[in-house]
Amino acid sequence: MTTQIKDLAHYKELYKQSVENPEQFWDKEAQTFTWFEQYDKVCEWNFTEPKVKWFINGKMNISYDCLDRHLPDKADQVAILWEPNEPTDQATSYTYQELHDEVCKCANALKNFGIGKGDRVIIYMPMLAELAIVLLACSRIGAVHSVVYCGFSAQAIADRTDDAQAKMIICSDYNKRGHKNIPVKAVVDEAMNIGCNSVETVLVHKNTGGEVNWSDDVDRWWHDEVPNQSPFCAAEEMDAEDLHFILYTSGSTGKPKGVVHTCGGYMVYSCFTFRNVFQYKPGDIYWCSADIGWITGHSYIVYGPLLAGASSLMFEGVPTYPDAGRFWEVCEKYKVNQFYTAPTAIRALMAHGDSFPAKYDLSSIKVLGSVGEPINEEAWHWYNDKVGKGKAPIVDTYFQTENGGIMITPFPGITDTKPTYASYPMPGIQPILVDKDGKEIKENNVEGLLCIKHPWPSILRTTYGDHERCRQTYFSTFKNLYFTGDGARRDEEGRLRIIGRVDDVINVSGHRMGTAEVENAINEHPSVIESAVVGYPHPIKGQGIYAYVISVDKELNDEFRKEINAVVAREIGPIAKPDVIQFVTGLPKTRSGKIMRRVLRKIASNEADKIGDLTTLRNPEVVESIKQGVLV
Ligand code: WTA
């Protein structure tokens, strides 16, 4: 088992070692896993191509370490607990032995469909235990999974499937969320109609048993194919640098890119961070309420906890169903020890008042986690006081899809906590702040652009099918540095606070969105001439989506707004629908024709008085008219 930090002195010592001799440090951690063949070298890297390799020529299999490795002493321990959307429905659980058997059956079924090492599989499933099983089954046979968040549209599935050239899609029939019963298979059907030519099989898990359309050519039922398989399936021997998974995420330009993670480094880092950030102890019940469609779910529902031999709770539903006490009811029911969620959920629940958390016994909670977006002071205090009763330290964990695992965080009971500060780097992480010219800012009490100096085991290796895009996006802004795209502040004592994105990426309810992506979707409406999208402060979502739209041939009314929203939902998914649509006659542009988003951001944020210099604008007159029509 990877090292678990004991106290502040231990953290400082480990951190020092990890910076002074990263290879030795990670070698020691990696040795706590199973290597079918030892690696020859710990790390090779440069940030110019970029090329990063960890545990070179080592052979392993992450599903083996998640499952088989625990069977001698944890076969009967619960690996996954599953809580359904309906509180009155049957909850289920899987011991490590049961999970092993189910994963093997699924892996054998995938093999029967001709899926093998390196083949890409798209997964579009709600938060069912089968989703975790599918991830591990892919890992077991060396297939590369790419989970598409179950709220994305058919177009989004088709784009990702085509980019990954996936051979298979795995989905369910429907998705139960709160009062809703959302069609899932029907969305895949539509995706298959508009693209997905590489797909040979669609494997469908029956969740609700609702009606579905069926194509005998490609569709196969899970219940016909999986349960009758053998519960043994040898774990494929993977090279540490073989592809493990692709996860698509939004950037400041173009379509979402496929962030590539590889097997060995991801295994070591997801487990190491899980054990340390949550201070997981044997017997604890750990719950991360994220969706497996995002990196947090990959690393902190499935891989990190299972690698660490933990009991990980999965929840199918939403925080406000049947009422705003559901999270706390579930915490009480399972005596959850570590609870990990997003600020947007905390803010939404806070709005329902203190009586909900007060109704439940939350005394089991030892650690509270926050992830995905900046947590504001008010939400931090509410979480700390009303949920943790001042006794459960909050770990405000910072990381990105590209990072694979948590980068900056307090350590509960070990380092102090300060509202809104993600605080300290994990051992092995060397964050620095630079100014816009890339010069390192060494003093404390400053703001700067957040970069990382040295690779860690689960840094992204490439963007699928387009290495140049990876170089451009993360490694070309500043020489020899990984650039996060985030701005950060460092206080007097060296704690880091993440301020937010400095590029055209916005974070809406913890969902990462590219403004260009939303604009492209809006522009699909035939009556839209041009649009510009910016983020603005939103009390619950963190950031809301504000769209400025130019159209000449339509009545500029709510009907038109609805149509635009429908187009965005079709192109990306309902989560990308603008909160505000303002019709404008022009957009502020520089002489070279670039939209000056700074101006639009200020107007949307009700800070028009702080717009600043407009002398480089080609059409400064539009600014006044946009200001007149502002909608927030
Ligand atoms: C933001 C989510 C402030 C940040 C795990 C980053 C945060 C983006 C925090 C990545 C935090 C994540 N405090 N901001 N604790 N955690 N972010 O790829 O802007 O969906 O760049 O990964 O979320 O989002 P992603």
Side-chain angles (χ1 to χ4, degrees), residues 396-407:
D396 176 357
T397 64
Y398 166 78
F399 76 115
Q400 311 174 295
T401 305
E402 295 85 344
N403 307 152
I406 294 165
M407 305 285 279

Side-chain angles (χ1 to χ4, degrees), residues 61 63-64 67-68 99-117 119 121 130 132-143 168 170 203 222 225-236:
N61 181 293
S63 106
Y64 184 92
L67 302 167
D68 308 51
L99 187 62
H100 166 274
D101 295 356
E102 294 308 311
V103 167
C104 286
K105 286 183 199 170
C106 182
N108 283 327
L110 298 185
K111 276 206 221 164
N112 273 355
F113 287 118
I115 303 295
K117 194 172 187 168
D119 288 335
V121 174
E130 285 77 6
I133 290 170
V134 166
L135 260 60
L136 292 162
C138 288
S139 306
R140 191 142 192 109
I141 61 172
M168 188 174 199
I170 306 181
L203 184 63
W222 172 289
E225 308 290 342
V226 178
N228 55 0
Q229 296 288 338
S230 150
F232 300 99
C233 174
E236 185 77 33

Side-chain angles (χ1 to χ4, degrees), residues 551-570:
S551 169
V552 285
D553 64 345
K554 268 293 256 195
E555 268 195 62
L556 307 177
N557 54 21
D558 281 346
E559 202 45 47
F560 187 19
R561 288 194 174 88
K562 272 194 202 140
E563 288 176 24
I564 292 173
N565 276 327
V567 173
V568 174
R570 187 190 72 206

Side-chain angles (χ1 to χ4, degrees), residues 249-250 294-296 340 343 370-375 395-403 408 420 422 484-486 497-501 505 507 510-512:
T249 192
S250 299
W294 316 116
I295 190 69
T296 303
Y340 193 26
S370 170
V371 63
E373 46 175 326
I375 178 165
V395 290
D396 176 357
T397 64
Y398 166 78
F399 76 115
Q400 311 174 295
T401 305
E402 295 85 344
N403 307 152
I408 302 177
T420 76
T484 60
D486 283 304
R497 170 194 198 161
I498 311 302
I499 300 167
R501 305 287 308 196
V505 171
N507 195 326
H511 304 321
R512 187 167 151 182

Side-chain angles (χ1 to χ4, degrees), residues 338-558:
Q338 292 91 0
F339 176 63
Y340 193 26
T341 195
T344 198
I346 301 167
R347 287 189 294 264
L349 295 177
M350 187 169 78
H352 289 270
D354 302 348
S355 64
F356 286 101
K359 265 195 263 176
Y360 299 94
D361 176 6
L362 302 176
S363 58
S364 57
I365 298 178
K366 296 190 283 188
V367 179
L368 290 171
S370 170
V371 63
E373 46 175 326
I375 178 165
N376 50 309
E377 288 232 31
E378 205 192 343
W380 194 97
H381 285 295
W382 189 81
Y383 201 29
N384 189 61
D385 302 347
K386 307 296 175 208
V387 182
K389 322 278 189 220
K391 286 190 288 207
I394 295 178
V395 290
D396 176 357
T397 64
Y398 166 78
F399 76 115
Q400 311 174 295
T401 305
E402 295 85 344
N403 307 152
I406 294 165
M407 305 285 279
I408 302 177
T409 178
F411 298 91
I414 293 168
T415 58
D416 56 7
T417 59
K418 178 173 173 182
T420 76
Y421 277 76
S423 298
Y424 304 105
M426 283 300 301
I429 303 305
Q430 300 185 35
I432 63 167
L433 298 182
V434 301
D435 65 18
K436 62 179 188 336
D437 302 317
K439 202 165 142 288
E440 181 168 358
I441 311 171
K442 296 219 161 130
E443 314 80 70
N444 281 346
N445 209 359
V446 286
E447 275 181 24
L449 303 168
L450 180 64
C451 295
I452 318 285
K453 254 194 339 208
H454 190 280
W456 59 99
S458 64
I459 184 175
L460 87 160
R461 301 302 195 262
T462 187
T463 44
Y464 193 76
D466 192 352
H467 193 62
E468 175 56 16
R469 192 166 177 203
C470 171
R471 191 190 68 77
Q472 280 268 345
T473 313
Y474 309 103
F475 300 94
S476 71
T477 318
F478 305 115
K479 200 165 181 286
N480 284 327
L481 293 174
Y482 167 86
F483 177 41
T484 60
D486 283 304
R489 163 165 192 82
R490 191 165 51 222
D491 74 3
E492 301 75 13
E493 283 93 30
R495 294 183 203 88
L496 288 164
R497 170 194 198 161
I498 311 302
I499 300 167
R501 305 287 308 196
V502 295
D503 53 11
D504 291 323
V505 171
I506 49 181
N507 195 326
V508 182
S509 300
H511 304 321
R512 187 167 151 182
M513 221 102 55
T515 49
E517 200 186 335
V518 183
E519 287 161 11
N520 290 340
I522 294 174
N523 298 348
E524 287 291 310
H525 190 294
S527 301
V528 170
I529 294 172
E530 199 179 2
S531 64
V533 164
V534 296
Y536 73 100
H538 187 287
I540 304 284
K541 298 176 172 187
Q543 281 189 298
I545 303 179
Y546 197 115
Y548 298 90
V549 173
I550 307 177
S551 169
V552 285
D553 64 345
K554 268 293 256 195
E555 268 195 62
L556 307 177
N557 54 21
D558 281 346

